[in-house]
Amino acid sequence: MRLVYMGTPEFANPSLIKLHQSSHQVVAVVTGPDKPAGRGRKLQSPPVKRLAENLGYPVLQPASLKEDRFQSYLADMAADLFVVVAFRILPDALLLIPPRGAVNLHPSLLPKYRGAAPIQHCLLAGETITGVTTITLTSQIDAGDILLQHEHPIQPDDDYGSLAERLATIGADILVETLDSLEAGKIQPRPQAELMTGELPRAPKITPADLLIRWDRPAAVITNQIRAFSPGPGAVTFLDGHRLKLFKALAVPGQGEPGEVLGVSQGRLQVGTSEGVLEVAELQLEGRQRMTVNEFLRGTHLEPGKVLG
């Protein structure tokens, strides 16, 4: 099939590589605009753009998906299908262009965790199983019929970075399998309504409030929060008024006042919570690099009794 591929972040790159290696023909790649980044605020291309250019594909970066000129260009591509991985919401006019519609790869076991941040919310909830799902795109967000689905275990030491990397790889395989099966007429789309029982968890966009650590929660809950936002943007607390990001921690037995530093010795930093103790392993103080607790304590005087938050 002739395809137009749409995606922007690193997560979408394995799928583009797999499609490049498949029997399908990518005729154009649509991605987000270049954005200023880093201390110099220089414009940087999104990961999918850099990969697409290396693979030799035409790249489109429309300011708006509703531009007539952009939509006319896509229509002229005569693609059979649009493939969407980690991209913006498509307007109805775009969904009507390709005769076979559009297929989306979603990193969750739909209909659970519909929304912009499924991997983060899955980790926040302490799930031990997640997966990837391919669906037909409709005007309703993440609500299209399920084409294929694959479960995948979440390891206790997984964070957002490690889990997203694996789901991107697994998703790339299931995406190509989906397109092969669609072309061969071997898929029977399944409405999500058939799988909806009771109230399902959702995955709305992450806000700054989601990052802030509340020490009056159990250590296990805070650990999940840290996993969900590592390696970025980082779960946040405060030390003497300075922002302190935590990237790796473990819930251990013990007790202490929420937020109170209980132990500082031999590379260990233990903090009290409402239930259990949080043992911090990696962190970053405002204005400094991310480091291990051992490195942090060599340059910071921190005594038991100090309260974080």
Side-chain angles (χ1 to χ4, degrees):
M1 290 190 286
R2 288 172 61 86
L3 311 173
V4 168
Y5 187 77
M6 302 183 183
T8 298
E10 193 71 40
F11 182 85
N13 274 357
S15 288
L16 180 56
I17 292 171
K18 280 288 182 178
L19 290 175
H20 179 73
Q21 297 168 342
S22 75
S23 61
H24 305 288
Q25 180 186 7
V26 177
V27 295
V29 172
V30 183
T31 190
D34 294 357
K35 290 185 176 180
R39 291 187 175 180
R41 305 304 291 165
K42 291 183 179 178
L43 282 180
Q44 289 192 6
S45 302
V48 164
K49 178 184 179 182
R50 297 195 294 271
L51 174 62
E53 289 179 337
N54 286 337
L55 296 176
Y57 294 127
V59 175
L60 304 172
Q61 294 177 283
S64 169
L65 300 180
K66 296 181 179 178
E67 289 177 358
D68 291 340
R69 187 176 173 186
F70 166 67
Q71 295 187 1
S72 177
Y73 181 90
L74 284 192
D76 290 343
M77 289 287 98
D80 298 301
L81 184 80
F82 290 169
V83 176
V84 181
V85 180
F87 194 61
R88 289 177 274 177
I89 298 171
L90 302 195
D92 290 347
L94 279 189
L95 295 175
L96 295 174
I97 290 177
R100 286 179 174 263
V103 167
N104 173 232
L105 170 65
H106 192 79
S108 85
L109 295 175
L110 290 172
K112 296 174 69 176
Y113 296 104
R114 288 179 179 175
I119 300 175
Q120 293 93 331
H121 281 280
C122 202
L123 288 167
L124 281 170
E127 299 275 11
T128 56
I129 297 289
T130 185
V132 289
T133 306
T134 51
I135 59 172
T136 57
L137 268 185
T138 67
S139 56
Q140 290 185 297
I141 298 174
D142 300 333
D145 291 350
I146 290 175
L147 300 172
L148 290 179
Q149 194 167 64
H150 181 84
E151 285 190 359
H152 185 72
I154 299 175
Q155 302 301 329
D157 59 348
D158 266 330
D159 60 16
Y160 170 79
S162 63
L163 184 57
E165 184 176 352
R166 293 207 307 279
L167 293 180
T169 301
I170 296 166
D173 290 333
I174 196 175
L175 181 61
V176 172
E177 182 183 353
T178 298
L179 300 188
D180 290 345
S181 298
L182 279 175
E183 188 173 37
K186 294 181 178 178
I187 284 188
Q188 183 63 45
R190 185 177 184 186
Q192 292 191 40
E194 294 181 0
L195 303 171
M196 298 180 77
T197 55
E199 187 174 349
L200 295 168
R202 305 189 70 83
K205 185 177 179 180
I206 298 300
T207 68
D210 294 319
L211 306 180
L212 192 61
I213 294 173
R214 283 177 45 190
W215 293 102
D216 60 350
R217 293 176 172 175
V221 172
I222 297 173
T223 300
N224 288 337
Q225 182 183 15
I226 293 168
R227 296 166 66 205
F229 303 129
S230 180
V236 175
T237 187
F238 290 88
L239 173 62
D240 293 332
H242 297 285
R243 183 179 291 262
L244 180 67
K245 293 183 176 180
L246 306 187
F247 293 104
K248 195 171 184 180
L250 182 68
V252 298
Q255 62 181 34
E257 290 299 315
E260 181 184 6
V261 174
L262 303 173
V264 183
S265 64
Q266 299 178 336
R268 301 173 67 188
L269 170 57
Q270 294 188 330
V271 185
T273 71
S274 67
E275 183 180 331
V277 168
L278 190 80
E279 186 163 303
V280 181
E282 291 185 18
L283 71 176
Q284 181 181 20
L285 187 62
E286 187 175 353
R288 297 167 65 176
Q289 299 292 321
R290 174 174 168 169
M291 60 187 72
T292 65
V293 162
N294 209 24
E295 294 167 330
F296 175 75
L297 293 176
R298 283 202 295 266
T300 304
H301 181 67
L302 185 61
E303 292 183 344
K306 179 76 72 176
V307 177
L308 304 181

